[in-house]
């Protein structure tokens, strides 16, 4: 099995290729670094690369990331789309702040280089563990660039889950691979023909899609299957699922108290009744709406076809892309076959929590 030492490591100054940061204190010596960096290939496909300097203590990085997540949770503020995100990580750049490139102190810190053909987009989370002069406290600084509030929290939660779960798993036993005929492929439109979904906003260009769907068999048995496009933005999807899981947990715990004390949710993720918008206001996006057929932009995306005898019943779908302004866009939808009882919720809170936890664990592995 290949190890990190088998791959080319380059100095941070070369890996980040001219990125600028606020000035560092002269006595602050960088010891280790960790980061999640968005990259793009020649075909325009996006992916996320996680990097950590060799020899870094997982416990130290985990503690720092958990601390930043705690800071975000303590703010406990969800803002409208046109408002600024209140909790800004310590290293966030201000427009009028002096900016410098990483200096010679960072030459000794090395990351595994990007795969050939990939280049950084400039969107990232970057954690530096600093060692001050003797007698002073050690320090850590987190920078984020080009990410909105939900992405920062989602990526931090994905990293936290990886450190607590993925790194604790042992290597699986070798498997014997038997060549087989390639599975049949279809489209999301074929899978959900005749179903009603929320409308996809105009101008959105999709890059990938994923759905977890309950299916039934002719004998009455039921199961769940996942279907996805290839490629799929795994890290971006994992961030969305991790964020949704965290808020479902908070909601489920609060449900044992007075219902009026339950925490609220940002409108794209909230289920249930919605207040009527005031005249002239845009209505909140409701992922449970039944506006009409699945948008052609999603319906034409390819995925593995359902096997013969599988009957789809209900689904939770995530489609990822960018809007007309080039900003990240997430389409969420709960849907069910036309015969599904409209008076029922698509999923109960606990059912959805368990389902998405399972999907997230598989995704992180």
């Amino acid at each position: 099995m290949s190890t990190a030492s088998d791959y080319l490591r380059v100095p941070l100054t070369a890996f980040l290729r001219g990125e600028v940061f606020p000035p560092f204190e002269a006595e602050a010596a960088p010891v280790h670094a960790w980061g999640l960096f968005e990259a793009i290939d020649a075909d325009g496909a996006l992916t996320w690369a996680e990097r950590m300097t060799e020899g870094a203590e997982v416990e130290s990085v985990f503690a720092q990331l958990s601390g930043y997540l705690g800071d975000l949770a303590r703010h406990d503020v969800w803002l409208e789309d046109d408002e600024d995100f209140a909790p800004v990580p310590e290293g966030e750049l201000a427009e009028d702040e002096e900016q410098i490139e990483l200096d010679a102190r960072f030459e000794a810190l090395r990351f595994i280089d990007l795969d050939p053909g990939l280049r950084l987009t400039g969107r990232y989370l970057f954690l530096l563990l600093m060692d001050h002069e003797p007698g002073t406290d050690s320090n850590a600084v987190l920078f984020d660039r080009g990410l909105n509030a939900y992405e920062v929290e989602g990526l931090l939660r994905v990293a936290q889950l990886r450190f607590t779960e993925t790194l604790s798993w042992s290597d699986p036993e070798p498997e014997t691979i038997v060549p087989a005929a390639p599975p049949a492929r279809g489209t999301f439109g074929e899978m959900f023909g005749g179903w009603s979904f929320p409308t996809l906003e105009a101008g959105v260009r999709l890059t990938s899609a994923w759905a977890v769907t309950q299916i039934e068999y002719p004998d009455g048995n039921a199961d769940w299957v996942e279907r996805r496009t290839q490629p799929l933005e795994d890290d971006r999807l994992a961030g969305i699922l991790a964020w949704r899981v965290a808020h479902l947990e908070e909601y489920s715990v609060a449900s044992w108290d007075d219902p009026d004390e339950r925490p609220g949710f940002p409108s794209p993720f909230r289920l249930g009744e919605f207040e009527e918008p005031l005249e002239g206001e845009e209505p909140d996006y409701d992922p449970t709406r039944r506006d009409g057929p699945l948008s052609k932009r999603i319906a034409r995306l390819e995925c593995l076809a359902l096997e013969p005898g599988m009957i789809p019943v209900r689904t939770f779908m995530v489609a990822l892309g960018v809007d007309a302004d080039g900003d990240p866009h997430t389409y969420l939808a709960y849907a069910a076959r036309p015969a599904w009882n409209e008076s029922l919720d698509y999923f109960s809170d606990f059912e959805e929590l368990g389902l998405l936890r399972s999907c997230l664990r598989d995704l992180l592995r």
Side-chain angles (χ1 to χ4, degrees):
M1 182 179 67
S2 298
T3 64
S5 60
D6 296 327
Y7 299 95
L8 175 64
R9 286 185 175 269
V10 296
L12 261 60
T13 50
F15 184 89
L16 291 169
R17 293 177 176 85
E19 284 293 326
V20 293
F21 301 89
F24 294 94
E25 299 176 9
E27 71 275 11
V31 178
H32 282 293
W34 167 93
L36 272 172
F37 304 91
E38 186 183 60
I40 187 170
D41 64 18
D43 296 326
L46 295 172
T47 186
W48 286 84
E50 184 173 8
R51 294 293 187 268
M52 186 165 64
T53 49
E54 195 169 17
E57 292 185 355
V58 172
E59 295 82 2
S60 298
V61 178
F62 171 80
Q64 294 296 339
L65 297 181
S66 298
Y68 280 106
L69 268 173
D71 288 341
L72 295 179
R74 277 191 290 275
H75 279 273
D76 195 26
V77 175
W78 289 110
L79 304 174
E80 299 297 331
D81 290 340
D82 58 350
E83 294 183 279
D84 292 330
F85 181 44
V88 178
E90 184 176 343
E92 180 65 38
L93 296 177
E95 290 184 2
D96 58 350
E97 188 173 14
E98 181 186 356
Q99 301 174 14
I100 64 170
E101 294 186 16
L102 297 182
D103 57 34
R105 290 173 293 168
F106 297 86
E107 289 290 333
L109 300 184
R110 293 174 174 265
F111 279 163
I112 296 174
D113 202 5
L114 291 175
D115 292 338
L118 290 179
R119 61 178 177 82
L120 298 179
T121 66
R123 286 166 28 94
Y124 56 77
L125 285 180
F126 179 48
L127 176 72
L128 273 175
L129 300 180
M130 315 291 289
D131 186 14
H132 283 175
E133 292 289 331
T136 64
D137 295 333
S138 61
N139 193 23
V141 187
L142 180 69
F143 302 94
D144 76 89
R145 175 69 66 82
L147 304 173
N148 62 37
Y150 304 143
E151 289 179 307
V152 170
E153 182 179 353
L155 288 172
L156 285 175
R157 290 193 180 279
V158 168
Q160 186 184 54
L161 286 168
R162 281 203 174 113
F163 281 120
T164 55
E165 294 190 12
T166 307
L167 296 182
S168 67
W169 292 328
S170 59
D171 291 333
E173 293 294 327
E175 297 181 356
T176 301
I177 299 177
V178 179
R185 298 191 65 80
T187 65
F188 283 106
E190 293 169 347
M191 186 183 307
F192 302 123
W195 291 27
S196 291
F197 284 81
T199 300
L200 176 63
E201 290 183 16
V204 173
R205 179 174 59 85
L206 295 175
T207 54
S208 57
W210 168 91
V212 57
T213 305
Q214 183 186 23
I215 53 101
E216 289 182 350
Y217 294 95
D219 61 6
N221 290 324
D223 202 353
W224 292 89
V225 297
E226 293 182 70
R227 291 295 183 265
R228 63 191 68 198
T229 56
Q230 291 293 343
L232 177 70
E233 295 180 69
D234 288 3
D235 286 275
R236 191 172 164 192
L237 174 62
I240 292 167
L241 296 187
W243 182 77
R244 176 63 177 152
V245 163
H247 286 277
L248 278 171
E249 288 173 341
E250 185 180 4
Y251 189 89
S252 298
V253 169
S255 68
W256 295 100
D257 303 322
D258 188 326
D260 293 337
E261 299 174 359
R262 290 183 176 187
F265 289 92
S267 59
F269 286 83
R270 187 172 55 222
L271 302 182
E273 295 298 326
F274 288 77
E275 295 182 1
E276 289 293 328
L278 299 177
E279 185 175 353
E281 286 187 342
E282 290 291 329
D284 285 334
Y285 174 75
D286 179 358
T288 68
R289 286 201 312 246
R290 300 171 186 249
D291 296 330
L294 186 62
S295 167
K296 292 181 179 179
R297 285 169 283 169
I298 303 176
R300 67 189 177 206
L301 296 177
E302 287 192 357
C303 62
L304 291 180
L306 294 180
E307 298 175 7
M310 289 184 172
I311 304 170
V313 178
R314 50 186 172 144
T315 192
F316 172 62
M317 173 182 287
V318 179
L320 305 172
V322 294
D323 62 21
D325 297 323
D327 296 322
H329 182 89
T330 301
Y331 171 84
L332 299 173
Y334 296 81
R337 65 186 181 191
W340 182 260
N341 187 343
E342 293 195 24
S343 67
L344 299 176
D345 288 336
Y346 291 95
F347 301 89
S348 69
D349 295 336
F350 298 113
E351 179 184 36
E352 184 178 0
L353 178 58
L355 177 65
L356 296 189
R357 268 188 169 279
S358 177
C359 293
L360 180 59
R361 186 180 180 92
D362 288 343
L363 190 62
L364 294 177
R365 296 186 73 166

